[in-house]
Amino acid sequence: MNTTTSPYVVETDGLTKRFGDRTAVSDVDLHVPRGVAFGYLGPNGAGKTTLIRMLLGLTHASAGSMKLLGLPVPERRAEALARVGAIVEEPRFHGHLTGSENLRVVAAARGPEAHARIGASLDRVGLTARAGDRVSTYSLGMKQRLGIARCLLADPELLVLDEPMNGLDPAGIEELRVLIRSLVAEGRTVVLSSHLLSEVERTCDAVAIVDQGRVVVQGSLDELRSDGAPTLLVASADDTRARSLLGAHVSVDSVTVADGALSVRLHHGTETVAREAAADINRRLVEAGIPVYRLEPQQVSLEQRFLEITSRLEEAA
Amino acid sequence: MTALSVAAAPPQPDRRPFLPLVTADLLKLRKRRGLVATVTAMTIGAAVVTYAVLAILHAANPAHHGPAGGVANLMHGVGVLSLLGCVAATIVGASAGADDLNAGVFRELVVTGRSRLALFASRLPGGLAFLLPFVAAGYAIAAVASVGLAGSLASPTTTLLVEGGLWLIGEVALFYVVALGLASLLGSRTQTVGILLAFRLALAPILASIAALGVFREVFPTAALGRLAPAAIADDVRQGTHAPMSLAATVAVLILWTAIPLVVGAWRTAARDA
C-alpha cells in the first residue's frame, strides 16, 4: 500500500509563506509519522490552512522544502498526490451534480482505478442511498462525508482534513471520529487540522501545536502531556492555610482553587522530583496540623498544555 | 524500494488518460439545465422561430412575402444563428472556464495531482462537444428549411450549405475559445459574459464601421470571419462596413484570436492560487 518506506508522510524543512510583509507560515519543520492520526492544532489564523495549501500545491512556498510520502514537492507533486486525499477548508462540490457525479468528476482526474472505487467510497461513508441526489440538497454533514468519500477515491496513504469537525453536530462529530480511527486502523495516516482541542485530544495520537505561523511543539500526546508542569490536586480541612503554606513551598510554582480543592502546579522536573515534592507537601501539611483528605497527581489535558504553551509565548512576546 | 531510492528516481510521466477529463467537463455542462435551455433556445429555437415566422408570413400573404426558403433566407438564418450562436458560445465558454473556480471545485481537482494544464486543456474539447451539436442542429434546421421551403426561389447548392455550416461552426468555436480563455483568466463567468457580449454586440460592429480606423479594423475577429464567409451569405454576417483583408491577414488574425486566449487561460490556470 505504501508508496515509500519513509517513516514520515509529511516532512517540511524551514517552510515559510509570506503574503507581502505578513508571514503566515514561518520556518516550519514538521514531521508527521506514518500510520497515525496527527492533529495540527492552533488558534484561528495561526497558519494551519496555509501550510496545508502549500503541501498540496495549491499555493507556492516562499522558502523551505517539503516532502509528501517521501517524495519532494513540488518536483514530484503528481506522484505524491496520487496517494493523498484532502479536504481543504470545507469540501466544495458542483451543486447541480449528484453526489455520484461529483465523484465521477474527480475520478476522471485521478484515473480509472479511482472510478472503480466510487461505489465503495460512497458505501463507506453511508451515502449510497443519497448518491443520486443533487449535492445542493445535502446537509453540511453529508457534504463532509461526501468529501471524505472523494478522498477515498485515491485509496490514500495520507488524508489531510482541514477543520473537518466545523459545523457538525455532536452525532456527526462522533461519526467522523469513528471513521478517522477506522482509516488509521487500516494503516493510513490522517492529518487533522483543528482549533478544537478536545476533539484533537480524543481523535489523534500525535500533535503539533502551531501559533502565529510557527510550530511550537510536536510529538505524541503522551509526550506532550508529560512535558508539561506536573500538577497536584490537594483537598484539606483548611484550604486557606494550606494555600498560604504551599505558596511558599520551594517546589510549587502556583496554587489555584479548582472544584473545591487546590490545584498545585509544580515547577518543571522529572517524575521522580515531582513524586518527592508531593510527599514533602503532604508531610508539611500534616506537620502544620492541616488534615489532608486527598492528594493526587492531575492528568494534564491537551487544553492545559496548549494554553500553557501559548501563554508562555505571549509572555515572551 | 527505499524512500531514498524513490525520491532519487526521475519523476514518472503522468499516464492517466485525458478523455475522462473531457467527459467530465461535458458532464458538468450538460447537467446545467438552465444552460441547456439557453443554448437550445439560441440555436435550435432560433432556427425554428426564424423559419416558422417566414413560413407563416408567406402563407398569410404570398404576394408580399416570398417563400421561407432559398438562398436569401438561408443568409438570414445563418445571420441569426451567427449572432445568437456567438452569444451561446460566450455563455458556454464562460461556464467551462470559470465554473470549477466559482464552485470551489478547482482546488479539489488540483489536489488530485493532475496537471493544471490538462485540467485547462480538457475544457476545450469538453465545451465544444457540448456546444457544437446544438449549433449543428440549428444549422441543419436552417439548411433543410432553406431547401424544403424554397418554392420558386433558387435553392442553395450543396457546396454553399457545407461552406455555410463550416463557417458558422468555425465562428462559434472561435467565440467559445475566446470566452474560455477570458473566463479562465478572470475566474468569473459573469464578468466574462458581460465583457464579451459588449464586445461582440456593440464595440466590434461600431469600430468596424469607422472607416477612419483603416487597417486597424482588421484586428477584430468579426472582420476576419466576415472575410471568410461564403459570398452568398456574407452580407448578412458582416458587421459594419466591410474592411477588405488579405487572406494572410485573415488567417493571422484568426490564429492570434485563438492562440492568445488559450495561452493566457492556460497560464492563469497553471499559476493561480487554487
Side-chain angles (χ1 to χ4, degrees):
Chain A
M1 166 172 175
N2 295 345
T3 302
T4 73
T5 55
S6 170
Y8 299 111
V9 291
V10 176
E11 299 164 78
T12 71
D13 181 17
L15 198 61
T16 300
K17 177 70 178 181
R18 295 184 203 93
F19 296 102
D21 294 338
R22 191 173 68 83
T23 303
V25 173
S26 178
D27 201 22
V28 166
D29 299 330
L30 184 68
H31 293 87
V32 178
R34 190 178 286 277
V36 299
F38 188 92
Y40 195 57
L41 187 59
N44 289 330
K48 303 187 295 292
T49 299
T50 304
L51 181 122
I52 288 173
R53 289 168 61 83
M54 282 191 286
L55 284 173
L56 299 174
L58 299 176
T59 188
H60 299 289
S62 304
S65 63
M66 50 194 161
K67 285 184 179 178
L68 270 182
L69 304 175
L71 299 167
V73 286
E75 294 85 357
R76 306 282 295 273
R77 178 180 160 275
E79 288 164 78
L81 290 182
R83 296 302 302 278
V84 175
I87 299 178
V88 185
E89 292 168 304
E90 58 185 293
R92 303 291 291 272
F93 302 94
H94 286 291
H96 69 288
L97 299 183
T98 66
S100 178
E101 288 166 346
N102 269 287
L103 295 195
R104 277 171 59 192
V105 167
V106 170
R110 286 202 176 276
E113 303 84 4
H115 196 272
R117 293 186 196 110
I118 289 175
S121 300
L122 285 166
D123 197 38
R124 178 81 184 264
V125 299
L127 276 179
T128 304
R130 294 290 305 274
D133 294 348
R134 287 177 169 225
V135 169
S136 57
T137 66
Y138 282 19
S139 67
L140 181 60
M142 290 169 70
K143 286 179 184 169
Q144 288 282 17
R145 282 191 281 155
L146 186 62
I148 290 179
R150 183 163 58 189
C151 293
L152 296 177
L153 294 179
D155 186 20
E157 289 178 44
L158 167 65
L159 283 100
V160 181
L161 309 177
D162 186 14
E163 302 276 7
M165 316 286 189
N166 271 4
L168 295 185
D169 60 20
I173 290 174
E174 175 62 21
E175 266 179 35
L176 189 58
R177 190 185 306 132
V178 169
L179 183 60
I180 289 170
R181 290 313 312 180
S182 72
L183 292 167
V184 172
E186 292 168 5
R188 307 179 201 272
T189 308
V190 179
V191 173
L192 178 75
S193 101
S194 182
H195 64 279
L196 301 172
L197 299 148
S198 58
E199 283 313 319
V200 168
E201 190 165 21
R202 293 173 74 176
T203 310
C204 296
D205 308 296
V207 297
I209 294 179
V210 58
D211 194 45
Q212 295 177 2
R214 292 177 179 277
V215 171
V216 182
V217 63
Q218 59 184 307
S220 73
L221 274 180
D222 290 341
E223 283 171 355
L224 210 64
R225 289 194 194 105
S226 64
D227 196 34
T231 305
L232 299 173
L233 197 66
V234 178
S236 69
D238 189 342
D239 281 347
T240 310
R241 277 185 62 213
R243 187 174 185 179
S244 169
L245 188 76
L246 294 179
H249 195 282
V250 68
S251 301
V252 173
D253 181 45
S254 64
V255 182
T256 53
V257 179
D259 299 330
L262 299 177
S263 177
V264 181
R265 186 171 142 172
L266 305 178
H267 292 300
H268 283 270
T270 63
E271 199 175 326
T272 309
V273 172
R275 216 178 291 142
E276 285 170 3
D280 189 53
I281 283 170
N282 185 40
R283 191 176 62 249
R284 297 263 182 114
L285 289 171
V286 173
E287 282 174 359
I290 304 171
V292 177
Y293 302 145
R294 183 180 173 196
L295 192 150
E296 62 176 298
Q298 271 189 308
Q299 174 80 2
V300 179
S301 72
L302 187 60
E303 185 172 3
Q304 285 170 302
R305 188 77 183 101
F306 178 80
L307 293 172
E308 188 185 315
I309 289 167
T310 50
S311 63
R312 204 189 299 158
L313 286 173
E314 280 167 17
E315 283 164 18
Chain B
M1 186 182 280
T2 65
L4 193 60
S5 64
V6 168
Q12 300 296 309
D14 195 341
R15 297 187 194 284
R16 288 175 282 192
F18 182 69
L19 188 59
L21 281 179
V22 177
T23 311
D25 279 312
L26 177 60
L27 173 74
K28 284 181 257 180
L29 292 171
R30 71 179 175 80
K31 284 287 182 169
R32 284 201 175 280
R33 291 175 191 166
L35 186 67
V36 170
T38 302
V39 174
T40 304
M42 289 184 166
T43 52
I44 297 169
V48 168
V49 169
T50 300
Y51 284 94
V53 168
L54 291 172
I56 289 167
L57 289 173
H58 176 63
N61 188 355
H64 206 73
H65 299 283
V71 174
N73 286 324
L74 176 66
M75 186 171 74
H76 298 319
V78 171
V80 169
L81 283 173
S82 162
L83 190 68
L84 294 181
C86 288
V87 174
T90 299
I91 295 169
V92 174
S95 292
D99 273 3
D100 282 343
L101 282 165
N102 292 166
V105 174
F106 180 62
R107 72 168 177 232
E108 313 287 356
L109 295 170
V110 171
V111 300
T112 63
R114 197 63 187 257
S115 148
R116 290 175 179 228
L117 290 180
L119 295 176
F120 173 78
S122 65
R123 297 169 184 167
L124 182 60
L128 289 176
F130 170 78
L131 176 65
L132 294 186
F134 287 100
V135 179
Y139 182 72
I141 291 168
V144 168
S146 65
V147 173
L149 303 177
S152 58
L153 300 175
S155 288
T157 62
T158 306
T159 305
L160 176 61
L161 288 174
V162 171
E163 285 177 352
L166 290 176
W167 179 86
L168 179 65
I169 282 174
E171 184 192 34
V172 168
L174 177 73
F175 274 88
Y176 171 81
V177 168
V178 173
L180 173 66
L182 187 62
S184 300
L185 174 69
L186 299 177
S188 166
R189 182 182 171 190
T190 316
Q191 286 180 15
T192 302
V193 171
I195 290 169
L196 287 183
L197 289 191
F199 174 77
R200 172 69 175 86
L201 302 178
L203 194 62
I206 290 170
L207 292 175
S209 66
I210 301 174
L213 290 176
V215 293
F216 204 66
R217 294 177 296 171
E218 295 183 4
V219 299
F220 301 115
T222 40
L225 287 164
R227 164 73 173 77
L228 289 183
I233 60 172
D235 286 347
D236 240 47
V237 296
R238 283 179 186 145
Q239 295 187 339
T241 303
H242 171 52
M245 294 175 71
S246 69
L247 186 61
T250 303
V251 172
V253 165
L254 292 179
I255 287 175
L256 286 176
W257 275 92
T258 307
I260 290 173
L262 290 178
V263 169
V264 169
W267 163 76
R268 190 71 186 109
T269 303
R272 73 164 60 247
D273 277 0

PDB file of all heavy atoms in Angstrom, chain A residues 102-104 106-107 110 113-115 117-119 121 148-156:
ATOM      1  N   ASN A 102     -20.384  14.075  -8.845  1.00  0.00           N
ATOM      2  CA  ASN A 102     -19.240  14.838  -8.345  1.00  0.00           C
ATOM      3  C   ASN A 102     -18.022  13.931  -8.151  1.00  0.00           C
ATOM      4  O   ASN A 102     -16.890  14.348  -8.417  1.00  0.00           O
ATOM      5  CB  ASN A 102     -19.599  15.522  -7.026  1.00  0.00           C
ATOM      6  CG  ASN A 102     -20.153  16.921  -7.231  1.00  0.00           C
ATOM      7  OD1 ASN A 102     -19.399  17.835  -7.557  1.00  0.00           O
ATOM      8  ND2 ASN A 102     -21.454  17.080  -7.072  1.00  0.00           N
ATOM      9  N   LEU A 103     -18.258  12.725  -7.685  1.00  0.00           N
ATOM     10  CA  LEU A 103     -17.132  11.793  -7.533  1.00  0.00           C
ATOM     11  C   LEU A 103     -16.596  11.383  -8.909  1.00  0.00           C
ATOM     12  O   LEU A 103     -15.389  11.180  -9.074  1.00  0.00           O
ATOM     13  CB  LEU A 103     -17.551  10.556  -6.734  1.00  0.00           C
ATOM     14  CG  LEU A 103     -17.952  10.795  -5.271  1.00  0.00           C
ATOM     15  CD1 LEU A 103     -17.976   9.469  -4.509  1.00  0.00           C
ATOM     16  CD2 LEU A 103     -17.030  11.773  -4.561  1.00  0.00           C
ATOM     17  N   ARG A 104     -17.472  11.264  -9.874  1.00  0.00           N
ATOM     18  CA  ARG A 104     -17.021  10.921 -11.249  1.00  0.00           C
ATOM     19  C   ARG A 104     -16.090  11.991 -11.802  1.00  0.00           C
ATOM     20  O   ARG A 104     -15.117  11.687 -12.500  1.00  0.00           O
ATOM     21  CB  ARG A 104     -18.228  10.755 -12.173  1.00  0.00           C
ATOM     22  CG  ARG A 104     -18.859   9.374 -12.085  1.00  0.00           C
ATOM     23  CD  ARG A 104     -20.159   9.316 -12.843  1.00  0.00           C
ATOM     24  NE  ARG A 104     -20.030   9.629 -14.266  1.00  0.00           N
ATOM     25  CZ  ARG A 104     -21.066   9.866 -15.070  1.00  0.00           C
ATOM     26  NH1 ARG A 104     -22.295   9.827 -14.589  1.00  0.00           N
ATOM     27  NH2 ARG A 104     -20.873  10.113 -16.337  1.00  0.00           N
ATOM     28  N   VAL A 106     -14.054  13.958 -10.126  1.00  0.00           N
ATOM     29  CA  VAL A 106     -12.717  13.848  -9.527  1.00  0.00           C
ATOM     30  C   VAL A 106     -12.038  12.540  -9.944  1.00  0.00           C
ATOM     31  O   VAL A 106     -10.825  12.509 -10.182  1.00  0.00           O
ATOM     32  CB  VAL A 106     -12.819  13.974  -7.992  1.00  0.00           C
ATOM     33  CG1 VAL A 106     -11.499  13.634  -7.332  1.00  0.00           C
ATOM     34  CG2 VAL A 106     -13.209  15.395  -7.625  1.00  0.00           C
ATOM     35  N   ALA A 107     -12.825  11.487 -10.066  1.00  0.00           N
ATOM     36  CA  ALA A 107     -12.250  10.212 -10.513  1.00  0.00           C
ATOM     37  C   ALA A 107     -11.666  10.344 -11.919  1.00  0.00           C
ATOM     38  O   ALA A 107     -10.663   9.711 -12.252  1.00  0.00           O
ATOM     39  CB  ALA A 107     -13.315   9.115 -10.476  1.00  0.00           C
ATOM     40  N   ARG A 110      -8.298  11.563 -11.442  1.00  0.00           N
ATOM     41  CA  ARG A 110      -7.392  10.625 -10.756  1.00  0.00           C
ATOM     42  C   ARG A 110      -7.030   9.406 -11.604  1.00  0.00           C
ATOM     43  O   ARG A 110      -5.934   8.895 -11.482  1.00  0.00           O
ATOM     44  CB  ARG A 110      -8.014  10.172  -9.438  1.00  0.00           C
ATOM     45  CG  ARG A 110      -7.984  11.236  -8.341  1.00  0.00           C
ATOM     46  CD  ARG A 110      -8.091  10.616  -6.978  1.00  0.00           C
ATOM     47  NE  ARG A 110      -7.965  11.586  -5.912  1.00  0.00           N
ATOM     48  CZ  ARG A 110      -6.808  12.024  -5.410  1.00  0.00           C
ATOM     49  NH1 ARG A 110      -5.678  11.563  -5.901  1.00  0.00           N
ATOM     50  NH2 ARG A 110      -6.777  12.901  -4.437  1.00  0.00           N
ATOM     51  N   GLU A 113      -8.688   3.635 -11.858  1.00  0.00           N
ATOM     52  CA  GLU A 113      -8.824   2.918 -10.583  1.00  0.00           C
ATOM     53  C   GLU A 113      -9.749   3.683  -9.646  1.00  0.00           C
ATOM     54  O   GLU A 113     -10.538   3.090  -8.907  1.00  0.00           O
ATOM     55  CB  GLU A 113      -7.465   2.730  -9.898  1.00  0.00           C
ATOM     56  CG  GLU A 113      -6.414   2.007 -10.727  1.00  0.00           C
ATOM     57  CD  GLU A 113      -5.673   2.946 -11.665  1.00  0.00           C
ATOM     58  OE1 GLU A 113      -5.919   4.159 -11.631  1.00  0.00           O
ATOM     59  OE2 GLU A 113      -4.861   2.441 -12.460  1.00  0.00           O
ATOM     60  N   ALA A 114      -9.639   4.998  -9.669  1.00  0.00           N
ATOM     61  CA  ALA A 114     -10.482   5.837  -8.812  1.00  0.00           C
ATOM     62  C   ALA A 114     -11.949   5.683  -9.202  1.00  0.00           C
ATOM     63  O   ALA A 114     -12.832   5.624  -8.346  1.00  0.00           O
ATOM     64  CB  ALA A 114     -10.051   7.289  -8.925  1.00  0.00           C
ATOM     65  N   HIS A 115     -12.194   5.588 -10.501  1.00  0.00           N
ATOM     66  CA  HIS A 115     -13.574   5.432 -10.969  1.00  0.00           C
ATOM     67  C   HIS A 115     -14.173   4.140 -10.420  1.00  0.00           C
ATOM     68  O   HIS A 115     -15.348   4.096 -10.026  1.00  0.00           O
ATOM     69  CB  HIS A 115     -13.599   5.445 -12.497  1.00  0.00           C
ATOM     70  CG  HIS A 115     -14.965   5.678 -13.059  1.00  0.00           C
ATOM     71  ND1 HIS A 115     -15.847   4.652 -13.301  1.00  0.00           N
ATOM     72  CD2 HIS A 115     -15.613   6.812 -13.388  1.00  0.00           C
ATOM     73  CE1 HIS A 115     -16.974   5.152 -13.771  1.00  0.00           C
ATOM     74  NE2 HIS A 115     -16.851   6.465 -13.839  1.00  0.00           N
ATOM     75  N   ARG A 117     -13.632   2.854  -7.649  1.00  0.00           N
ATOM     76  CA  ARG A 117     -13.825   2.931  -6.190  1.00  0.00           C
ATOM     77  C   ARG A 117     -15.018   3.794  -5.792  1.00  0.00           C
ATOM     78  O   ARG A 117     -15.279   3.967  -4.598  1.00  0.00           O
ATOM     79  CB  ARG A 117     -12.566   3.513  -5.519  1.00  0.00           C
ATOM     80  CG  ARG A 117     -11.348   2.632  -5.605  1.00  0.00           C
ATOM     81  CD  ARG A 117     -10.191   3.192  -4.789  1.00  0.00           C
ATOM     82  NE  ARG A 117      -8.961   2.534  -5.187  1.00  0.00           N
ATOM     83  CZ  ARG A 117      -7.975   3.121  -5.868  1.00  0.00           C
ATOM     84  NH1 ARG A 117      -8.056   4.406  -6.179  1.00  0.00           N
ATOM     85  NH2 ARG A 117      -6.914   2.442  -6.216  1.00  0.00           N
ATOM     86  N   ILE A 118     -15.729   4.359  -6.743  1.00  0.00           N
ATOM     87  CA  ILE A 118     -16.804   5.299  -6.398  1.00  0.00           C
ATOM     88  C   ILE A 118     -17.863   4.634  -5.518  1.00  0.00           C
ATOM     89  O   ILE A 118     -18.237   5.159  -4.466  1.00  0.00           O
ATOM     90  CB  ILE A 118     -17.447   5.881  -7.682  1.00  0.00           C
ATOM     91  CG1 ILE A 118     -16.467   6.841  -8.360  1.00  0.00           C
ATOM     92  CG2 ILE A 118     -18.745   6.614  -7.360  1.00  0.00           C
ATOM     93  CD1 ILE A 118     -16.949   7.396  -9.698  1.00  0.00           C
ATOM     94  N   GLY A 119     -18.338   3.485  -5.918  1.00  0.00           N
ATOM     95  CA  GLY A 119     -19.387   2.800  -5.170  1.00  0.00           C
ATOM     96  C   GLY A 119     -18.960   2.468  -3.759  1.00  0.00           C
ATOM     97  O   GLY A 119     -19.679   2.735  -2.786  1.00  0.00           O
ATOM     98  N   SER A 121     -16.591   3.833  -2.006  1.00  0.00           N
ATOM     99  CA  SER A 121     -16.346   5.043  -1.213  1.00  0.00           C
ATOM    100  C   SER A 121     -17.655   5.618  -0.678  1.00  0.00           C
ATOM    101  O   SER A 121     -17.738   6.015   0.488  1.00  0.00           O
ATOM    102  CB  SER A 121     -15.635   6.104  -2.057  1.00  0.00           C
ATOM    103  OG  SER A 121     -14.404   5.623  -2.510  1.00  0.00           O
ATOM    104  N   ILE A 148     -15.073  13.123   2.251  1.00  0.00           N
ATOM    105  CA  ILE A 148     -14.197  12.006   2.631  1.00  0.00           C
ATOM    106  C   ILE A 148     -14.288  10.883   1.597  1.00  0.00           C
ATOM    107  O   ILE A 148     -13.284  10.267   1.245  1.00  0.00           O
ATOM    108  CB  ILE A 148     -14.551  11.520   4.049  1.00  0.00           C
ATOM    109  CG1 ILE A 148     -14.126  12.612   5.042  1.00  0.00           C
ATOM    110  CG2 ILE A 148     -13.862  10.197   4.369  1.00  0.00           C
ATOM    111  CD1 ILE A 148     -14.419  12.335   6.471  1.00  0.00           C
ATOM    112  N   ALA A 149     -15.490  10.650   1.086  1.00  0.00           N
ATOM    113  CA  ALA A 149     -15.627   9.648   0.009  1.00  0.00           C
ATOM    114  C   ALA A 149     -14.753  10.037  -1.179  1.00  0.00           C
ATOM    115  O   ALA A 149     -14.111   9.191  -1.809  1.00  0.00           O
ATOM    116  CB  ALA A 149     -17.090   9.541  -0.422  1.00  0.00           C
ATOM    117  N   ARG A 150     -14.710  11.326  -1.475  1.00  0.00           N
ATOM    118  CA  ARG A 150     -13.878  11.807  -2.582  1.00  0.00           C
ATOM    119  C   ARG A 150     -12.398  11.554  -2.284  1.00  0.00           C
ATOM    120  O   ARG A 150     -11.640  11.177  -3.172  1.00  0.00           O
ATOM    121  CB  ARG A 150     -14.143  13.293  -2.802  1.00  0.00           C
ATOM    122  CG  ARG A 150     -13.404  13.887  -3.965  1.00  0.00           C
ATOM    123  CD  ARG A 150     -13.990  15.203  -4.395  1.00  0.00           C
ATOM    124  NE  ARG A 150     -14.005  16.187  -3.325  1.00  0.00           N
ATOM    125  CZ  ARG A 150     -14.622  17.364  -3.392  1.00  0.00           C
ATOM    126  NH1 ARG A 150     -15.288  17.685  -4.478  1.00  0.00           N
ATOM    127  NH2 ARG A 150     -14.596  18.205  -2.393  1.00  0.00           N
ATOM    128  N   CYS A 151     -12.011  11.729  -1.020  1.00  0.00           N
ATOM    129  CA  CYS A 151     -10.618  11.422  -0.634  1.00  0.00           C
ATOM    130  C   CYS A 151     -10.319   9.938  -0.841  1.00  0.00           C
ATOM    131  O   CYS A 151      -9.224   9.562  -1.263  1.00  0.00           O
ATOM    132  CB  CYS A 151     -10.372  11.759   0.836  1.00  0.00           C
ATOM    133  SG  CYS A 151     -10.429  13.495   1.229  1.00  0.00           S
ATOM    134  N   LEU A 152     -11.301   9.099  -0.521  1.00  0.00           N
ATOM    135  CA  LEU A 152     -11.066   7.655  -0.573  1.00  0.00           C
ATOM    136  C   LEU A 152     -10.906   7.135  -2.005  1.00  0.00           C
ATOM    137  O   LEU A 152     -10.427   6.012  -2.202  1.00  0.00           O
ATOM    138  CB  LEU A 152     -12.206   6.908   0.133  1.00  0.00           C
ATOM    139  CG  LEU A 152     -12.318   7.184   1.638  1.00  0.00           C
ATOM    140  CD1 LEU A 152     -13.523   6.465   2.224  1.00  0.00           C
ATOM    141  CD2 LEU A 152     -11.048   6.767   2.363  1.00  0.00           C
ATOM    142  N   LEU A 153     -11.303   7.925  -2.978  1.00  0.00           N
ATOM    143  CA  LEU A 153     -11.120   7.505  -4.376  1.00  0.00           C
ATOM    144  C   LEU A 153      -9.648   7.257  -4.688  1.00  0.00           C
ATOM    145  O   LEU A 153      -9.316   6.470  -5.567  1.00  0.00           O
ATOM    146  CB  LEU A 153     -11.647   8.587  -5.332  1.00  0.00           C
ATOM    147  CG  LEU A 153     -13.148   8.866  -5.319  1.00  0.00           C
ATOM    148  CD1 LEU A 153     -13.465   9.985  -6.300  1.00  0.00           C
ATOM    149  CD2 LEU A 153     -13.930   7.614  -5.669  1.00  0.00           C
ATOM    150  N   ALA A 154      -8.771   7.932  -3.935  1.00  0.00           N
ATOM    151  CA  ALA A 154      -7.333   7.792  -4.195  1.00  0.00           C
ATOM    152  C   ALA A 154      -6.753   6.569  -3.492  1.00  0.00           C
ATOM    153  O   ALA A 154      -5.560   6.298  -3.647  1.00  0.00           O
ATOM    154  CB  ALA A 154      -6.600   9.046  -3.721  1.00  0.00           C
ATOM    155  N   ASP A 155      -7.578   5.840  -2.713  1.00  0.00           N
ATOM    156  CA  ASP A 155      -7.046   4.792  -1.836  1.00  0.00           C
ATOM    157  C   ASP A 155      -5.836   5.383  -1.091  1.00  0.00           C
ATOM    158  O   ASP A 155      -4.713   4.883  -1.184  1.00  0.00           O
ATOM    159  CB  ASP A 155      -6.626   3.563  -2.646  1.00  0.00           C
ATOM    160  CG  ASP A 155      -6.210   2.411  -1.730  1.00  0.00           C
ATOM    161  OD1 ASP A 155      -6.597   2.426  -0.547  1.00  0.00           O
ATOM    162  OD2 ASP A 155      -5.477   1.514  -2.202  1.00  0.00           O
ATOM    163  N   PRO A 156      -6.064   6.445  -0.332  1.00  0.00           N
ATOM    164  CA  PRO A 156      -4.953   7.298   0.115  1.00  0.00           C
ATOM    165  C   PRO A 156      -4.106   6.670   1.219  1.00  0.00           C
ATOM    166  O   PRO A 156      -4.625   6.021   2.122  1.00  0.00           O
ATOM    167  CB  PRO A 156      -5.670   8.540   0.646  1.00  0.00           C
ATOM    168  CG  PRO A 156      -6.996   8.050   1.074  1.00  0.00           C
ATOM    169  CD  PRO A 156      -7.368   6.945   0.148  1.00  0.00           C
TER     170      PRO A 156
END
